[in-house]
Amino acid sequence: MLIRDGTNVIYQVAGRVVARVGPPGSQLVAARQIQASRWLADAGIPVVRAVDDIDQPTVVGNRPVTWWVQLPDHRHATPAELGAVLGRLHALEVPESPSFPVVDPFEGLRESIDGGTILPEDDRAWLRDLAGQLHSEYLVLVPELPRRVIHGDAWQGNVVVPRAGGAPVLLDLDHVGIGPPEWDLVSLAVDYTDFARITEVDYQAFVDAYGDYDMTAWPGYRTLATIRELRWTAFVLGKATTSPEAAEQVRHRVACLRGEIERPWSWSAF
């Protein structure tokens, strides 16, 4: 049974197992998912578990398939639950082995913009210039930031809570690596500051649960917030050639980034 058709295609199969089919050529990423799951579990972080008695990943054609223990019925984490999980994750010592990759917020971004021919060249040139400006700002900020094990795509849907009870579980390990904790904190922060998707009370609960660090007060916040929003825009741009809804949405997002629409913004999910 198909569960989700996105960057990864996910199926429920027999024996309470979930098969995750990665994009072509992503065998290294798939292997790192398995590695990350096992290391995080050993470190005491509740995490989605890879099936142990299968040699992973399985390669079919040029696509890797990873096999996971199906989770019980669950819901997305609250902001406070997400903050608590990230606090525990970022408190871990950076391991010498396994060697996790350095997280690069700009990975694949230029290629996504260049390939987004649904947009006029003027918009794509503006997005390239924005990415270049943000990259320069990021390189100035990074040396001052701590290096931690980070999730890389931390939002409420990537931490789930079993409805029958139990600890929140970390999911979607594609981007686990070494980087600044702020990169994990920024997604929920922009949900609050730029989209009004969560209330001030919920955002403060996230800050408190994480350890009383409000990154929106950090001078580099706007740089990381715009990088995250640019990545979200580039993701939809990749779908826009085959989806009229995505094409309309990406034009709206570019208008927001260009300052033509005031915050709080309303962006449809894809």
Side-chain angles (χ1 to χ4, degrees), residues 185-194 198 203 206 215-216 221:
L185 303 178
V186 73
S187 293
L188 197 82
V190 296
D191 276 351
Y192 170 57
T193 63
D194 291 8
I198 62 172
Y203 181 67
F206 171 76
M215 75 162 296
T216 66
Y221 170 64

Side-chain angles (χ1 to χ4, degrees), residues 23-45:
S26 62
Q27 289 89 333
L28 181 58
V29 173
R32 286 173 175 166
Q33 293 170 22
I34 303 299
Q35 184 182 58
S37 172
R38 290 170 177 164
W39 183 84
L40 289 167
D42 288 343
I45 303 293

Side-chain angles (χ1 to χ4, degrees), residues 206-230:
F206 171 76
V207 170
D208 292 343
Y210 180 75
D212 200 28
Y213 174 49
D214 178 5
M215 75 162 296
T216 66
W218 170 57
Y221 170 64
R222 182 45 53 191
T223 294
L224 262 67
T226 309
I227 295 169
R228 178 53 80 187
E229 291 161 351
L230 181 58

Side-chain angles (χ1 to χ4, degrees), residues 156-180:
Q156 288 173 251
N158 278 343
V159 174
V160 299
V161 182
R163 294 188 185 278
V169 178
L170 196 61
L171 304 181
D172 284 356
L173 309 177
D174 306 50
H175 303 288
V176 170
I178 307 303

Side-chain angles (χ1 to χ4, degrees), residues 16 33 81 125 150 181 188 216 224-225 231 242 247 254 258 267:
R16 298 193 61 79
Q33 293 170 22
E81 289 164 338
I150 66 173
L188 197 82
T216 66
L224 262 67
R231 290 202 67 85
T242 57
V254 171
R258 297 193 75 155
W267 290 9

Side-chain angles (χ1 to χ4, degrees), residues 20 28 34 48 55 62 69 78 80 82 95 116 121-122 156 166 172 183 194 204 268:
R20 203 166 188 261
L28 181 58
I34 303 299
V48 62
D55 187 22
N62 195 29
V69 177
T78 65
L82 174 62
E121 178 56 29
D122 174 68
Q156 288 173 251
D172 284 356
W183 187 236
D194 291 8
Q204 189 58 51
S268 300

Side-chain angles (χ1 to χ4, degrees), residues 63-112:
R63 291 178 178 265
V65 183
T66 51
W67 309 89
W68 304 87
V69 177
Q70 183 180 341
L71 292 169
D73 186 34
H74 55 267
R75 58 170 174 81
H76 289 180
T78 65
E81 289 164 338
L82 174 62
V85 169
L86 293 179
R88 291 182 61 191
L89 177 65
H90 297 165
L92 298 176
E93 293 290 333
V94 174
E96 293 184 7
S97 179
S99 177
F100 290 123
V102 174
V103 174
D104 177 10
F106 296 89
E107 182 179 3
L109 193 54
R110 178 62 182 254
E111 292 79 1
S112 295

